[in-house]
mmCIF file of all heavy atoms in Angstrom:
data_model
loop_
_atom_site.group_PDB
_atom_site.id
_atom_site.type_symbol
_atom_site.label_atom_id
_atom_site.label_comp_id
_atom_site.label_asym_id
_atom_site.label_seq_id
_atom_site.Cartn_x
_atom_site.Cartn_y
_atom_site.Cartn_z
ATOM 1 N N LEU A 474 -1.609 -3.068 5.290
ATOM 2 C CA LEU A 474 -2.537 -3.829 6.140
ATOM 3 C C LEU A 474 -2.864 -3.067 7.414
ATOM 4 O O LEU A 474 -4.026 -3.035 7.850
ATOM 5 C CB LEU A 474 -1.929 -5.192 6.500
ATOM 6 C CG LEU A 474 -2.078 -6.299 5.467
ATOM 7 C CD1 LEU A 474 -1.237 -7.516 5.866
ATOM 8 C CD2 LEU A 474 -3.539 -6.713 5.300
ATOM 9 N N GLY A 475 -1.851 -2.457 8.022
ATOM 10 C CA GLY A 475 -2.112 -1.677 9.224
ATOM 11 C C GLY A 475 -3.113 -0.567 8.976
ATOM 12 O O GLY A 475 -4.042 -0.356 9.764
ATOM 13 N N ALA A 476 -2.927 0.151 7.855
ATOM 14 C CA ALA A 476 -3.860 1.227 7.525
ATOM 15 C C ALA A 476 -5.261 0.685 7.252
ATOM 16 O O ALA A 476 -6.264 1.298 7.643
ATOM 17 C CB ALA A 476 -3.339 2.012 6.326
ATOM 18 N N LEU A 477 -5.353 -0.461 6.582
ATOM 19 C CA LEU A 477 -6.661 -1.058 6.301
ATOM 20 C C LEU A 477 -7.380 -1.470 7.590
ATOM 21 O O LEU A 477 -8.560 -1.165 7.790
ATOM 22 C CB LEU A 477 -6.500 -2.276 5.393
ATOM 23 C CG LEU A 477 -6.252 -1.998 3.913
ATOM 24 C CD1 LEU A 477 -5.810 -3.279 3.207
ATOM 25 C CD2 LEU A 477 -7.496 -1.434 3.238
ATOM 26 N N TYR A 478 -6.663 -2.174 8.467
ATOM 27 C CA TYR A 478 -7.284 -2.604 9.725
ATOM 28 C C TYR A 478 -7.630 -1.414 10.617
ATOM 29 O O TYR A 478 -8.590 -1.469 11.393
ATOM 30 C CB TYR A 478 -6.357 -3.568 10.467
ATOM 31 C CG TYR A 478 -6.464 -4.996 9.995
ATOM 32 C CD1 TYR A 478 -5.482 -5.562 9.193
ATOM 33 C CD2 TYR A 478 -7.561 -5.781 10.346
ATOM 34 C CE1 TYR A 478 -5.578 -6.881 8.752
ATOM 35 C CE2 TYR A 478 -7.672 -7.101 9.917
ATOM 36 C CZ TYR A 478 -6.683 -7.637 9.120
ATOM 37 O OH TYR A 478 -6.790 -8.944 8.690
ATOM 38 N N ASP A 479 -6.874 -0.334 10.493
ATOM 39 C CA ASP A 479 -7.163 0.857 11.274
ATOM 40 C C ASP A 479 -8.413 1.566 10.781
ATOM 41 O O ASP A 479 -9.279 1.954 11.566
ATOM 42 C CB ASP A 479 -5.956 1.801 11.194
ATOM 43 C CG ASP A 479 -6.206 3.155 11.842
ATOM 44 O OD1 ASP A 479 -7.021 3.223 12.780
ATOM 45 O OD2 ASP A 479 -5.580 4.135 11.411
ATOM 46 N N ARG A 480 -8.528 1.732 9.458
ATOM 47 C CA ARG A 480 -9.560 2.617 8.921
ATOM 48 C C ARG A 480 -10.851 1.929 8.487
ATOM 49 O O ARG A 480 -11.871 2.593 8.320
ATOM 50 C CB ARG A 480 -8.968 3.407 7.752
ATOM 51 C CG ARG A 480 -7.804 4.268 8.208
ATOM 52 C CD ARG A 480 -7.217 5.076 7.095
ATOM 53 N NE ARG A 480 -6.102 5.900 7.592
ATOM 54 C CZ ARG A 480 -5.490 6.808 6.876
ATOM 55 N NH1 ARG A 480 -5.864 7.053 5.641
ATOM 56 N NH2 ARG A 480 -4.486 7.498 7.392
ATOM 57 N N ALA A 481 -10.804 0.619 8.312
ATOM 58 C CA ALA A 481 -12.050 -0.088 7.975
ATOM 59 C C ALA A 481 -12.960 -0.139 9.207
ATOM 60 O O ALA A 481 -12.472 -0.196 10.338
ATOM 61 C CB ALA A 481 -11.735 -1.500 7.496
ATOM 62 N N PRO A 482 -14.268 -0.103 9.028
ATOM 63 C CA PRO A 482 -15.172 -0.264 10.176
ATOM 64 C C PRO A 482 -15.038 -1.661 10.765
ATOM 65 O O PRO A 482 -14.647 -2.606 10.084
ATOM 66 C CB PRO A 482 -16.563 -0.038 9.558
ATOM 67 C CG PRO A 482 -16.391 -0.314 8.101
ATOM 68 C CD PRO A 482 -14.997 0.073 7.753
ATOM 69 N N GLY A 483 -15.337 -1.774 12.030
ATOM 70 C CA GLY A 483 -15.258 -3.070 12.694
ATOM 71 C C GLY A 483 -16.483 -3.926 12.427
ATOM 72 O O GLY A 483 -17.382 -3.554 11.671
ATOM 73 N N ARG A 484 -16.503 -5.069 13.062
ATOM 74 C CA ARG A 484 -17.648 -5.973 12.898
ATOM 75 C C ARG A 484 -18.905 -5.318 13.448
ATOM 76 O O ARG A 484 -18.832 -4.538 14.393
ATOM 77 C CB ARG A 484 -17.373 -7.300 13.639
ATOM 78 C CG ARG A 484 -16.209 -8.075 13.038
ATOM 79 C CD ARG A 484 -16.010 -9.401 13.775
ATOM 80 N NE ARG A 484 -14.870 -10.111 13.253
ATOM 81 C CZ ARG A 484 -14.875 -10.868 12.151
ATOM 82 N NH1 ARG A 484 -16.003 -10.993 11.478
ATOM 83 N NH2 ARG A 484 -13.798 -11.489 11.748
ATOM 84 N N PRO A 485 -20.088 -5.650 12.875
ATOM 85 C CA PRO A 485 -20.326 -6.673 11.851
ATOM 86 C C PRO A 485 -20.161 -6.170 10.409
ATOM 87 O O PRO A 485 -20.222 -6.958 9.488
ATOM 88 C CB PRO A 485 -21.786 -7.054 12.095
ATOM 89 C CG PRO A 485 -22.416 -5.785 12.581
ATOM 90 C CD PRO A 485 -21.355 -5.101 13.410
ATOM 91 N N LEU A 486 -19.947 -4.861 10.224
ATOM 92 C CA LEU A 486 -19.869 -4.342 8.855
ATOM 93 C C LEU A 486 -18.562 -4.714 8.170
ATOM 94 O O LEU A 486 -18.550 -5.091 6.998
ATOM 95 C CB LEU A 486 -20.026 -2.822 8.865
ATOM 96 C CG LEU A 486 -21.428 -2.266 9.125
ATOM 97 C CD1 LEU A 486 -21.394 -0.751 9.161
ATOM 98 C CD2 LEU A 486 -22.385 -2.751 8.033
ATOM 99 N N GLY A 487 -17.461 -4.571 8.881
ATOM 100 C CA GLY A 487 -16.156 -4.765 8.262
ATOM 101 C C GLY A 487 -15.215 -5.569 9.126
ATOM 102 O O GLY A 487 -15.631 -6.243 10.072
ATOM 103 N N PHE A 488 -13.919 -5.448 8.827
ATOM 104 C CA PHE A 488 -12.895 -6.233 9.521
ATOM 105 C C PHE A 488 -11.955 -5.357 10.337
ATOM 106 O O PHE A 488 -10.939 -5.842 10.848
ATOM 107 C CB PHE A 488 -12.082 -7.044 8.512
ATOM 108 C CG PHE A 488 -11.396 -6.210 7.449
ATOM 109 C CD1 PHE A 488 -10.138 -5.645 7.674
ATOM 110 C CD2 PHE A 488 -12.021 -5.963 6.229
ATOM 111 C CE1 PHE A 488 -9.518 -4.869 6.707
ATOM 112 C CE2 PHE A 488 -11.406 -5.197 5.248
ATOM 113 C CZ PHE A 488 -10.151 -4.641 5.488
ATOM 114 N N GLY A 489 -12.268 -4.078 10.481
ATOM 115 C CA GLY A 489 -11.391 -3.170 11.207
ATOM 116 C C GLY A 489 -11.115 -3.653 12.615
ATOM 117 O O GLY A 489 -12.013 -4.154 13.306
ATOM 118 N N ASN A 490 -9.854 -3.491 13.046
ATOM 119 C CA ASN A 490 -9.467 -3.958 14.378
ATOM 120 C C ASN A 490 -8.198 -3.217 14.791
ATOM 121 O O ASN A 490 -7.161 -3.360 14.153
ATOM 122 C CB ASN A 490 -9.241 -5.472 14.356
ATOM 123 C CG ASN A 490 -8.970 -6.038 15.738
ATOM 124 O OD1 ASN A 490 -7.923 -5.792 16.311
ATOM 125 N ND2 ASN A 490 -9.911 -6.812 16.247
ATOM 126 N N SER A 491 -8.275 -2.434 15.850
ATOM 127 C CA SER A 491 -7.140 -1.619 16.277
ATOM 128 C C SER A 491 -5.963 -2.472 16.731
ATOM 129 O O SER A 491 -4.807 -2.121 16.472
ATOM 130 C CB SER A 491 -7.566 -0.679 17.409
ATOM 131 O OG SER A 491 -8.484 0.283 16.942
ATOM 132 N N ASP A 492 -6.229 -3.571 17.416
ATOM 133 C CA ASP A 492 -5.140 -4.431 17.885
ATOM 134 C C ASP A 492 -4.374 -5.030 16.711
ATOM 135 O O ASP A 492 -3.139 -5.100 16.727
ATOM 136 C CB ASP A 492 -5.680 -5.551 18.778
ATOM 137 C CG ASP A 492 -6.208 -5.037 20.108
ATOM 138 O OD1 ASP A 492 -5.811 -3.924 20.520
ATOM 139 O OD2 ASP A 492 -7.021 -5.735 20.737
ATOM 140 N N THR A 493 -5.103 -5.470 15.687
ATOM 141 C CA THR A 493 -4.444 -6.034 14.506
ATOM 142 C C THR A 493 -3.680 -4.949 13.761
ATOM 143 O O THR A 493 -2.566 -5.176 13.271
ATOM 144 C CB THR A 493 -5.475 -6.685 13.573
ATOM 145 O OG1 THR A 493 -6.211 -7.668 14.306
ATOM 146 C CG2 THR A 493 -4.790 -7.362 12.389
ATOM 147 N N ALA A 494 -4.254 -3.751 13.660
ATOM 148 C CA ALA A 494 -3.554 -2.640 13.022
ATOM 149 C C ALA A 494 -2.237 -2.371 13.732
ATOM 150 O O ALA A 494 -1.188 -2.200 13.097
ATOM 151 C CB ALA A 494 -4.431 -1.393 13.038
ATOM 152 N N GLU A 495 -2.270 -2.347 15.040
ATOM 153 C CA GLU A 495 -1.054 -2.112 15.827
ATOM 154 C C GLU A 495 0.006 -3.167 15.527
ATOM 155 O O GLU A 495 1.184 -2.854 15.328
ATOM 156 C CB GLU A 495 -1.396 -2.133 17.326
ATOM 157 C CG GLU A 495 -0.197 -2.034 18.242
ATOM 158 C CD GLU A 495 0.074 -0.625 18.721
ATOM 159 O OE1 GLU A 495 -0.879 0.147 18.909
ATOM 160 O OE2 GLU A 495 1.260 -0.301 18.899
ATOM 161 N N ARG A 496 -0.396 -4.440 15.458
ATOM 162 C CA ARG A 496 0.559 -5.513 15.163
ATOM 163 C C ARG A 496 1.159 -5.346 13.777
ATOM 164 O O ARG A 496 2.353 -5.597 13.572
ATOM 165 C CB ARG A 496 -0.118 -6.884 15.276
ATOM 166 C CG ARG A 496 -0.443 -7.302 16.695
ATOM 167 C CD ARG A 496 -0.690 -8.799 16.786
ATOM 168 N NE ARG A 496 -1.762 -9.246 15.907
ATOM 169 C CZ ARG A 496 -3.048 -9.271 16.258
ATOM 170 N NH1 ARG A 496 -3.415 -8.831 17.471
ATOM 171 N NH2 ARG A 496 -3.964 -9.708 15.434
ATOM 172 N N MET A 497 0.361 -4.957 12.810
ATOM 173 C CA MET A 497 0.867 -4.779 11.451
ATOM 174 C C MET A 497 1.893 -3.638 11.393
ATOM 175 O O MET A 497 2.949 -3.767 10.772
ATOM 176 C CB MET A 497 -0.286 -4.489 10.483
ATOM 177 C CG MET A 497 -1.296 -5.620 10.331
ATOM 178 S SD MET A 497 -0.595 -7.148 9.642
ATOM 179 C CE MET A 497 -0.458 -8.140 11.144
ATOM 180 N N PHE A 498 1.584 -2.517 12.042
ATOM 181 C CA PHE A 498 2.530 -1.407 12.052
ATOM 182 C C PHE A 498 3.823 -1.780 12.768
ATOM 183 O O PHE A 498 4.919 -1.436 12.315
ATOM 184 C CB PHE A 498 1.899 -0.177 12.711
ATOM 185 C CG PHE A 498 0.843 0.492 11.885
ATOM 186 C CD1 PHE A 498 -0.402 0.805 12.426
ATOM 187 C CD2 PHE A 498 1.087 0.842 10.563
ATOM 188 C CE1 PHE A 498 -1.378 1.432 11.669
ATOM 189 C CE2 PHE A 498 0.114 1.474 9.789
ATOM 190 C CZ PHE A 498 -1.121 1.773 10.354
ATOM 191 N N GLN A 499 3.712 -2.496 13.869
ATOM 192 C CA GLN A 499 4.910 -2.905 14.597
ATOM 193 C C GLN A 499 5.773 -3.845 13.760
ATOM 194 O O GLN A 499 7.007 -3.745 13.775
ATOM 195 C CB GLN A 499 4.515 -3.584 15.917
ATOM 196 C CG GLN A 499 3.960 -2.652 16.974
ATOM 197 C CD GLN A 499 5.027 -1.716 17.529
ATOM 198 O OE1 GLN A 499 6.226 -1.951 17.390
ATOM 199 N NE2 GLN A 499 4.588 -0.639 18.164
ATOM 200 N N ARG A 500 5.146 -4.734 13.013
ATOM 201 C CA ARG A 500 5.912 -5.644 12.147
ATOM 202 C C ARG A 500 6.623 -4.849 11.056
ATOM 203 O O ARG A 500 7.792 -5.119 10.739
ATOM 204 C CB ARG A 500 4.964 -6.677 11.519
ATOM 205 C CG ARG A 500 5.663 -7.707 10.654
ATOM 206 C CD ARG A 500 6.520 -8.644 11.483
ATOM 207 N NE ARG A 500 7.216 -9.603 10.626
ATOM 208 C CZ ARG A 500 8.502 -9.514 10.295
ATOM 209 N NH1 ARG A 500 9.241 -8.498 10.747
ATOM 210 N NH2 ARG A 500 9.061 -10.418 9.527
ATOM 211 N N ALA A 501 5.949 -3.873 10.481
ATOM 212 C CA ALA A 501 6.578 -3.038 9.459
ATOM 213 C C ALA A 501 7.764 -2.266 10.031
ATOM 214 O O ALA A 501 8.802 -2.121 9.382
ATOM 215 C CB ALA A 501 5.556 -2.068 8.867
ATOM 216 N N LEU A 502 7.622 -1.784 11.259
ATOM 217 C CA LEU A 502 8.711 -1.053 11.890
ATOM 218 C C LEU A 502 9.917 -1.947 12.154
ATOM 219 O O LEU A 502 11.060 -1.495 12.096
ATOM 220 C CB LEU A 502 8.233 -0.432 13.202
ATOM 221 C CG LEU A 502 7.355 0.817 13.061
ATOM 222 C CD1 LEU A 502 6.683 1.148 14.384
ATOM 223 C CD2 LEU A 502 8.183 2.003 12.569
ATOM 224 N N GLU A 503 9.685 -3.216 12.457
ATOM 225 C CA GLU A 503 10.793 -4.152 12.650
ATOM 226 C C GLU A 503 11.598 -4.316 11.361
ATOM 227 O O GLU A 503 12.819 -4.462 11.394
ATOM 228 C CB GLU A 503 10.261 -5.516 13.090
ATOM 229 C CG GLU A 503 9.678 -5.539 14.494
ATOM 230 C CD GLU A 503 8.974 -6.852 14.794
ATOM 231 O OE1 GLU A 503 9.040 -7.772 13.942
ATOM 232 O OE2 GLU A 503 8.362 -6.958 15.873
ATOM 233 N N ILE A 504 10.901 -4.280 10.233
ATOM 234 C CA ILE A 504 11.552 -4.472 8.936
ATOM 235 C C ILE A 504 12.208 -3.187 8.442
ATOM 236 O O ILE A 504 13.326 -3.207 7.915
ATOM 237 C CB ILE A 504 10.530 -4.981 7.900
ATOM 238 C CG1 ILE A 504 9.982 -6.355 8.325
ATOM 239 C CG2 ILE A 504 11.149 -5.060 6.504
ATOM 240 C CD1 ILE A 504 8.804 -6.830 7.493
ATOM 241 N N ARG A 505 11.507 -2.060 8.628
ATOM 242 C CA ARG A 505 11.991 -0.784 8.069
ATOM 243 C C ARG A 505 11.703 0.330 9.071
ATOM 244 O O ARG A 505 10.801 1.144 8.884
ATOM 245 C CB ARG A 505 11.305 -0.545 6.718
ATOM 246 C CG ARG A 505 11.913 0.532 5.874
ATOM 247 C CD ARG A 505 11.592 0.359 4.376
ATOM 248 N NE ARG A 505 10.255 -0.118 4.131
ATOM 249 C CZ ARG A 505 9.168 0.664 4.055
ATOM 250 N NH1 ARG A 505 9.287 1.942 4.192
ATOM 251 N NH2 ARG A 505 7.984 0.135 3.807
ATOM 252 N N PRO A 506 12.507 0.388 10.157
ATOM 253 C CA PRO A 506 12.201 1.326 11.248
ATOM 254 C C PRO A 506 12.237 2.793 10.867
ATOM 255 O O PRO A 506 11.598 3.606 11.532
ATOM 256 C CB PRO A 506 13.269 0.992 12.299
ATOM 257 C CG PRO A 506 14.367 0.315 11.545
ATOM 258 C CD PRO A 506 13.686 -0.433 10.439
ATOM 259 N N ASP A 507 12.982 3.156 9.820
ATOM 260 C CA ASP A 507 13.082 4.565 9.440
ATOM 261 C C ASP A 507 12.218 4.915 8.232
ATOM 262 O O ASP A 507 12.381 5.996 7.645
ATOM 263 C CB ASP A 507 14.542 4.921 9.136
ATOM 264 C CG ASP A 507 15.435 4.776 10.369
ATOM 265 O OD1 ASP A 507 14.956 5.067 11.476
ATOM 266 O OD2 ASP A 507 16.597 4.350 10.208
ATOM 267 N N GLY A 508 11.314 4.029 7.858
ATOM 268 C CA GLY A 508 10.472 4.281 6.694
ATOM 269 C C GLY A 508 9.536 5.468 6.916
ATOM 270 O O GLY A 508 8.909 5.590 7.971
ATOM 271 N N ILE A 509 9.449 6.332 5.916
ATOM 272 C CA ILE A 509 8.539 7.475 6.009
ATOM 273 C C ILE A 509 7.100 6.994 6.089
ATOM 274 O O ILE A 509 6.309 7.483 6.908
ATOM 275 C CB ILE A 509 8.725 8.415 4.803
ATOM 276 C CG1 ILE A 509 10.126 9.036 4.816
ATOM 277 C CG2 ILE A 509 7.654 9.525 4.810
ATOM 278 C CD1 ILE A 509 10.435 9.867 3.577
#
Side-chain angles (χ1 to χ4, degrees):
L474 277 171
L477 283 168
Y478 277 105
D479 173 28
R480 299 181 180 187
R484 295 182 183 278
L486 286 178
F488 58 86
N490 186 290
S491 293
D492 291 339
T493 304
E495 174 96 33
R496 288 198 303 272
M497 296 297 103
F498 288 130
Q499 288 291 342
R500 183 69 182 103
L502 284 167
E503 291 171 6
I504 297 170
R505 194 157 38 85
D507 296 325
I509 295 174

